[in-house]
Amino acid sequence: MAGEQQATNQSVERAAAVLAAFSDTRALRVADVANRAGLGQSTTSRMLATLEALAYVERDAAGTYRLGAAVIELSAAALNQHPVFRAGRQPVQDLAGRTGLGANLSVLRDWSVFYLANFEGPDAPRAATLAGRHNPLHATGMGKCLLLGSTPEQRRDVLGELQSFTRHTIAAHDPLDDELDRTRERGYATEIEELAFGRACVAAPVHDADGLVVAAVSISGSLSVIDLARRERELSVQAIETADAISVTLGYTSPAEVGTVPPAGRS
C-alpha cells in the first residue's frame, strides 16, 4: 500500500512539473518540456499524452504543446474564489480606464509579487497578461507596499542579498529600509526603472479587516507616458483611493498600524 501511495504521489508530482514547464507564452516540444521538468523524454511524452486527453494541454499541427482549456477553467475558478481578486477586479479595471495606463493587483506569495490581475489602458498596451506572474519585492512599487508589514529582520532573513536589475535598483537592505519608511509615511510607493529600463509605477497597499497589508495596487506604464515628474501626485491619489476602496470591501474600517506579514507571506 505504501508503495502504491508513493507511486501515485510521484505521478502527481511529475504531472505538476510538466504543467509548470509552460511558464511562458511559447509552445514547447516534448524535449523542451522534458528539459524544464527534469524528466526523461519517454516519461514526459506519456505525461503529455495523458494531460492532452484530459484537456490540460493541447498539441498543434507542428507537434508542439501549449496549456489547454482545462487549465483556463481552473485558473478562472481560482481567481474567482480569491477574496482579493473578487474585491479588487472592478476597481482596478476602472483605474485603468480613468488613467489610460496599466493597473495591477497583486498579493504576496512565496516572498515575491504575485499578480492576480492587470488591465491595460490605451496608453499602456501589453502583448501578454501579467496575471500569474511573479516579480521581486524590492524592485517594484507593489513589492515595496507588500513589504510594509515585514520587519527589517524578516527581510534580511528571507530576501537575503538583493539582486540588482538596473543601475536604479535598490540592492542593499539599509536603503530599502529607508524607502519603506518613506512609503509608509506618505502612503504609496514609486518605482522608476528599478526592474526594467523605460518603465515606472506608483503603488499603494491594500489592508484587510485586521489592518494587515494583504495586497497592493499599482499604476504602471512607460516613463514618457506615466510622467511622474508631472503626474506623481495625481497618480498616487488615484492608487491610494483605489487601494482604500478594495480595503473597505475586505472589511478594513479605520487607519491602523501596518500589520505584520505572517512569516509564510500570507496572501
Side-chain angles (χ1 to χ4, degrees), residues 173-192:
H173 281 282
D174 286 346
L176 178 62
D177 293 343
D178 293 339
E179 182 65 16
L180 293 181
D181 288 340
R182 185 177 179 219
T183 297
R184 186 179 290 103
E185 288 171 4
R186 63 185 182 175
Y188 69 93
T190 59
E191 181 259 308
I192 304 174

Side-chain angles (χ1 to χ4, degrees), residues 2-251:
E4 292 178 2
Q5 183 66 45
Q6 184 176 3
T8 300
N9 290 343
Q10 189 177 59
S11 295
V12 172
E13 290 170 355
R14 287 175 173 176
V18 168
L19 290 173
F22 295 90
S23 58
D24 55 30
T25 57
R26 69 185 183 92
L28 301 174
R29 300 170 300 167
V30 174
D32 297 326
V33 177
N35 183 57
R36 292 186 177 195
L39 300 171
Q41 285 205 44
S42 61
T43 299
T44 301
S45 183
R46 290 195 303 273
M47 286 286 175
L48 286 169
T50 300
L51 291 169
E52 182 182 10
L54 296 171
Y56 285 100
V57 298
E58 298 175 353
R59 181 172 46 168
D60 60 23
T64 57
Y65 291 86
R66 62 177 181 272
L67 293 176
V71 174
I72 299 174
E73 292 173 354
L74 287 178
S75 299
L79 281 174
N80 289 327
Q81 292 170 18
H82 200 293
V84 171
F85 179 82
R86 291 201 308 271
R89 185 193 66 80
Q90 192 61 58
V92 173
Q93 185 173 7
D94 293 343
L95 180 62
R98 288 196 306 273
T99 62
L101 296 166
N104 313 287
L105 178 67
S106 72
V107 294
L108 182 67
R109 182 168 183 265
D110 298 330
W111 288 96
S112 67
V113 176
F114 181 72
Y115 288 80
L116 287 181
N118 81 288
F119 299 94
E120 297 85 30
D123 297 328
R126 299 188 72 95
T129 182
L130 288 172
R133 301 286 184 88
H134 290 258
N135 266 335
L137 292 165
H138 69 285
T140 57
M142 288 198 294
K144 293 169 189 174
C145 291
L146 293 170
L147 283 173
L148 288 178
S150 64
T151 66
E153 292 75 22
Q154 279 180 312
R155 294 192 292 273
R156 284 161 174 76
D157 180 53
V158 178
L159 300 181
E161 184 176 348
L162 302 178
Q163 182 179 354
S164 182
F165 297 94
T166 75
R167 65 176 180 271
H168 304 293
T169 306
I170 299 174
H173 281 282
D174 286 346
L176 178 62
D177 293 343
D178 293 339
E179 182 65 16
L180 293 181
D181 288 340
R182 185 177 179 219
T183 297
R184 186 179 290 103
E185 288 171 4
R186 63 185 182 175
Y188 69 93
T190 59
E191 181 259 308
I192 304 174
E193 294 190 304
E194 294 176 39
L195 183 62
F197 287 115
R199 304 287 301 178
C201 83
V202 176
V206 173
H207 300 81
D208 68 4
D210 297 321
L212 295 173
V213 175
V214 293
V217 168
S218 75
I219 303 168
S220 62
S222 66
L223 279 178
S224 59
V225 173
I226 201 167
D227 191 9
L228 284 185
R230 182 176 62 87
R231 300 182 68 188
E232 181 173 338
R233 176 165 177 76
E234 167 207 346
L235 295 178
S236 64
V237 168
Q238 293 264 19
I240 290 169
E241 289 180 347
T242 300
D244 285 349
I246 298 169
S247 298
V248 169
T249 302
L250 292 173

